[in-house]
Amino acid sequence: MKYIYDIKVVKKVKIINFFCLLLATVMVTSCDYLDEKPLNYLQPEERFQEEAQMELAVHECYSYLNNGYNNVGGSFLDAATNDAVYRIEVSTVNKLARAQYTAGDPGLDIWDRCYSGISQSFLVEENLHYMNIPKGSSVSDPEAYFESKRKEFGSEAKMVRAYLYFELLRMYGGVPLVKSRLPLGTKLTDVTRATFAEVVNYIVQLCNEAAEDHPSIINTTPGRWGKGAAKAIKAKTLAYAASDLYHVGVESALNGYMQDNRLTARLSAAEALDDFMKYTEFDLANTYDMFFMAPNNAQFKKEYIVYKGEPQRNDIEGFLFTPSTGGNGGVYPTQEFVDAFDNADGTIYFPSVTADGSQYTGRDPRLDKIVIYNGAKVRGSTTINTYTGTDETLDGFSVVHQKSTRTGYYLRKFANYGTVNFDNANPGVTYHINPIIRYADILLLYAEVMNELYGPDDADKFNITALEAINKERARGGITTPLPADISQNELRSRIVNERRIELCFEEQRYFDLKRWKIGINELNSPVHGTKITREGDEYMYQKVVVDDSRKFTEPMYFAPIPYNEQLKLGIEQNKGW
């Protein structure tokens, strides 16, 4: 009996159903004429005896991580929140923002991608024992060398699998837990959804095993993770599992814990976060902006823990640049998002009813690094004008359909105006790294669970307080005054919510934060606004305008629907309300 892998077309094949894939990853036959080795096909014991080929399979695991900036029909997921509007009116992300999706048309469907990546992780783990030819020259102690490599590659496969299960968990709640390829003959109807707690426990188990086996805290190979990533994934999973959504009003073990166990869950999360923060190799980068685009920068290496690397290119610039600089506008930050930035001294900004251009001065310095507003400059001297009327440009409010801003703002974050210039014959390319978990995220999760456990200024048995954690993160952002020592628990909770909104904007955090805090209904059922500026000669008129009055969020949306085709094939239980 032969197991024949078509190695060359693995990535080209669209996976229709992961569970069918698990049953049919290999082609099994006893026919004599198929026992001969076809050209371009290799048995796993032949294919994976070379370290270089096994390493390629490990790299393939990382390819199943999401792309971030175009994850939802070409848009940032943040455009499904009150922070942004996508440039294209009829779009997948607007289905999410307006509650116009169903199990049959789920909008954001990560099921196939995640389970296909999980399958790839099994392919790595189950063939590690074949590896016996080193990538470079011969080694003095092959047995020790390959044992170390098996642990390294196997632990990375586990880390990716753990993170993909985390993605599934925060999207759907409990999902089918597949811990190896299913044996031939397994009935698909035997596959069931695990409980929320079972998925959390499995992620933690994978992370513990990966952290134990991986030789490096930070992987020296760009785009791959070390044991620090394993501990970060574990910590973030436990912090999510301590959130209100999974403890308050839970009606099914698929969607959380049947008893309110937040105290124990928060303690577990605090311990995991504190354990990760003992790594001195990780810390905040010195500045907020450029490390998003410089993978070989020492600042990037300090801050990014879990991420997806991308080759040099300029398509993100083509997506985000303003029309006058050769771009398509991308997504437009809302007035609600701009209003969420504090003042530079750390006090809360309260928008004026008659706001004008002065609203952009004296604010949190991150505003200038994230948002392009009227009069902002790129490349040092190029001014972006978002007004209409006298001397209007392509960047003016709704001047060019589905390109020019509909809110009065453009997104600067991730767009490298310094390196890429579409006015040049050779516009240039730049690196882009999709942040998944970075140190600021860890600090704010730590502040969150510590505040809930002990209040703002009590570290108990841990190293720093909630207040110290958030003040450290805000200081890096440029806030000149720390939050006061006498701040209340409720006040700090609100500040943490807002700080995650600003610091982690457009990194696919807020959409899930609003869900896990169970405040989506409060935040996502109101119209979103922009600022329309009209110029007449030297006079500028500012007008706050509604840009989308169809935003909607309902109770069932706290958990996404299991895609109908998967539910139909597997017979698994659907989430309530779908």
Side-chain angles (χ1 to χ4, degrees), residues 118-126 161 178-181:
I118 289 167
S119 177
Q120 178 68 20
S121 75
F122 293 142
L123 178 69
V124 170
E125 276 199 278
E126 293 177 11
R161 190 187 315 153
V178 183
K179 300 181 180 181
S180 65
R181 286 184 298 164

Side-chain angles (χ1 to χ4, degrees), residues 234-536:
K234 171 185 173 180
K236 184 158 186 169
T237 300
L238 290 173
Y240 263 64
S243 304
D244 287 356
L245 178 62
Y246 311 117
H247 295 267
V248 179
V250 176
E251 298 180 10
S252 169
L254 295 175
N255 301 129
Y257 300 94
M258 297 304 292
Q259 293 182 332
D260 187 347
N261 198 28
R262 280 175 289 181
L263 180 61
T264 301
R266 286 167 180 162
L267 185 58
S268 296
E271 289 171 344
L273 289 159
D274 181 72
D275 183 46
F276 171 82
M277 289 164 62
K278 291 174 182 175
Y279 283 140
T280 58
E281 290 83 354
F282 295 104
D283 203 346
L284 294 173
N286 293 340
T287 60
Y288 181 78
D289 46 1
M290 281 307 294
F291 69 89
F292 288 111
M293 295 170 280
N296 295 318
N297 187 307
Q299 300 300 311
F300 156 80
K301 293 177 181 178
K302 281 202 307 185
E303 176 124 2
Y304 274 48
I305 309 159
V306 179
Y307 64 95
K308 183 179 182 182
E310 298 285 352
Q312 292 191 84
R313 58 192 195 189
N314 59 31
D315 56 330
I316 297 180
E317 281 67 31
F319 176 63
L320 288 178
F321 275 14
T322 71
S324 73
T325 56
N328 290 314
V331 294
Y332 316 126
T334 61
Q335 188 64 47
E336 284 77 8
F337 178 66
V338 171
D339 288 345
F341 286 81
D342 284 345
N343 294 309
D345 63 2
T347 58
I348 296 173
Y349 170 78
F350 294 100
S352 169
V353 175
T354 58
D356 56 21
S358 65
Q359 66 177 302
Y360 310 123
T361 62
R363 302 289 294 280
D364 180 338
R366 288 172 293 185
L367 176 61
D368 287 335
K369 297 177 179 181
I370 294 170
V371 177
I372 294 175
Y373 48 81
N374 185 62
K377 294 185 183 300
V378 299
R379 304 191 186 109
S381 60
T382 301
T383 301
I384 304 300
N385 295 312
T386 64
Y387 58 76
T388 58
T390 304
D391 295 331
E392 73 180 18
T393 70
L394 298 177
D395 299 332
F397 195 102
S398 294
V399 169
V400 181
H401 180 57
Q402 295 190 155
K403 278 194 175 183
S404 300
T405 178
R406 292 195 286 126
T407 65
Y409 304 105
Y410 294 96
L411 182 65
R412 186 192 295 267
K413 184 174 178 178
F414 299 115
N416 195 336
Y417 282 91
T419 301
V420 177
N421 190 334
F422 291 114
D423 291 337
N424 298 333
N426 180 6
V429 293
T430 185
Y431 284 108
H432 287 283
I433 308 300
N434 179 32
I436 296 174
I437 305 176
R438 55 187 179 89
Y439 198 81
D441 188 6
I442 293 292
L443 271 179
L444 291 173
L445 288 172
Y446 179 87
E448 177 184 334
V449 297
M450 287 294 287
N451 185 52
E452 299 301 331
L453 283 169
Y454 307 113
D457 209 24
D458 182 0
D460 194 66
K461 64 181 180 178
F462 299 102
N463 289 320
I464 62 174
T465 67
L467 191 57
E468 288 170 332
I470 190 174
N471 277 335
K472 176 179 178 178
E473 179 274 329
R474 282 164 61 87
R476 190 280 298 275
I479 300 294
T480 58
T481 306
L483 295 172
D486 61 352
I487 192 171
S488 71
Q489 184 184 49
N490 286 337
E491 288 173 325
L492 186 57
R493 182 183 298 118
S494 296
R495 289 302 193 110
I496 292 168
V497 167
N498 196 67
E499 192 59 30
R500 287 186 64 82
R501 180 181 193 176
I502 299 303
E503 173 69 24
L504 305 173
C505 65
F506 298 93
E507 297 179 33
E508 296 201 348
Q509 303 296 335
R510 181 164 170 78
Y511 182 76
F512 295 106
D513 279 346
L514 294 176
K515 287 187 174 189
R516 68 184 180 88
W517 292 326
K518 215 172 182 181
I519 59 175
I521 286 180
N522 300 333
E523 292 283 332
L524 301 179
N525 273 306
S526 301
V528 293
H529 299 80
T531 291
K532 182 177 181 180
I533 307 172
T534 304
R535 179 184 177 186
E536 293 183 3

Side-chain angles (χ1 to χ4, degrees), residues 22 31 40 43 45 59 85 96-97 151 195 200 207-208 224 232 274 282 290 340 351 376 400 446 474 493 495 504 507:
L22 286 173
C31 300
N40 297 326
Q43 295 296 319
E45 62 268 24
H59 279 282
V85 173
L96 296 182
K151 286 185 176 182
T195 67
V200 169
C207 290
N208 286 341
R224 285 169 52 190
D274 181 72
F282 295 104
M290 281 307 294
V400 181
Y446 179 87
R474 282 164 61 87
R493 182 183 298 118
R495 289 302 193 110
L504 305 173
E507 297 179 33

Side-chain angles (χ1 to χ4, degrees), residues 3-214:
Y3 293 82
I4 303 174
Y5 288 81
D6 184 350
I7 300 301
K8 297 181 69 175
V9 299
V10 166
K11 195 166 183 179
K12 295 181 181 178
V13 176
K14 177 173 177 61
I15 306 302
I16 303 301
N17 182 341
F18 166 73
F19 297 97
C20 291
L21 174 69
L22 286 173
L23 290 169
T25 302
V26 294
M27 298 165 55
V28 182
T29 179
S30 59
C31 300
D32 292 340
Y33 69 90
L34 284 181
D35 281 340
E36 296 180 15
K37 187 195 308 180
L39 295 175
N40 297 326
Y41 287 77
L42 296 173
Q43 295 296 319
E45 62 268 24
E46 298 168 308
R47 177 70 168 88
F48 295 119
Q49 64 181 335
E50 295 184 24
E51 178 191 341
Q53 299 304 321
M54 179 55 73
E55 191 171 34
L56 288 176
V58 174
H59 279 282
E60 180 76 9
C61 291
Y62 291 99
S63 73
Y64 291 97
L65 302 172
N66 72 60
N67 290 321
Y69 82 97
N70 65 351
N71 198 33
V72 190
S75 174
F76 285 91
L77 179 58
D78 291 60
T81 75
N82 50 0
D83 284 354
V85 173
Y86 184 39
R87 69 182 184 89
I88 298 176
E89 175 68 19
V90 180
S91 58
T92 301
V93 76
N94 274 342
K95 290 181 180 180
L96 296 182
R98 298 169 179 174
Q100 294 173 346
Y101 60 99
T102 65
D105 181 15
L108 180 58
D109 181 1
I110 67 170
W111 192 276
D112 279 354
R113 173 177 61 79
C114 288
Y115 276 115
S116 296
I118 289 167
S119 177
Q120 178 68 20
S121 75
F122 293 142
L123 178 69
V124 170
E125 276 199 278
E126 293 177 11
N127 291 289
L128 286 169
H129 62 283
Y130 292 125
M131 189 167 51
N132 58 26
I133 300 176
K135 185 166 64 172
S137 58
S138 60
V139 294
S140 58
D141 188 349
E143 185 175 346
Y145 177 82
F146 284 112
E147 179 60 24
S148 174
K149 283 296 178 182
R150 290 181 190 108
K151 286 185 176 182
E152 177 185 346
F153 293 164
S155 63
E156 290 180 49
K158 287 179 179 178
M159 282 185 255
V160 173
R161 190 187 315 153
Y163 181 73
L164 293 175
Y165 268 121
F166 169 75
E167 278 201 73
L168 290 163
L169 182 77
R170 70 179 180 178
M171 179 72 73
Y172 305 109
V175 292
L177 265 187
V178 183
K179 300 181 180 181
S180 65
R181 286 184 298 164
L182 299 177
L184 292 171
T186 301
K187 296 180 180 179
L188 293 181
T189 52
D190 292 339
V191 175
T192 60
R193 291 176 66 183
T195 67
F196 180 89
E198 288 170 339
V199 179
V200 169
N201 293 340
Y202 183 53
I203 293 171
V204 169
Q205 174 192 327
L206 289 173
C207 290
N208 286 341
E209 292 172 358
E212 178 70 24
D213 285 346
H214 204 282

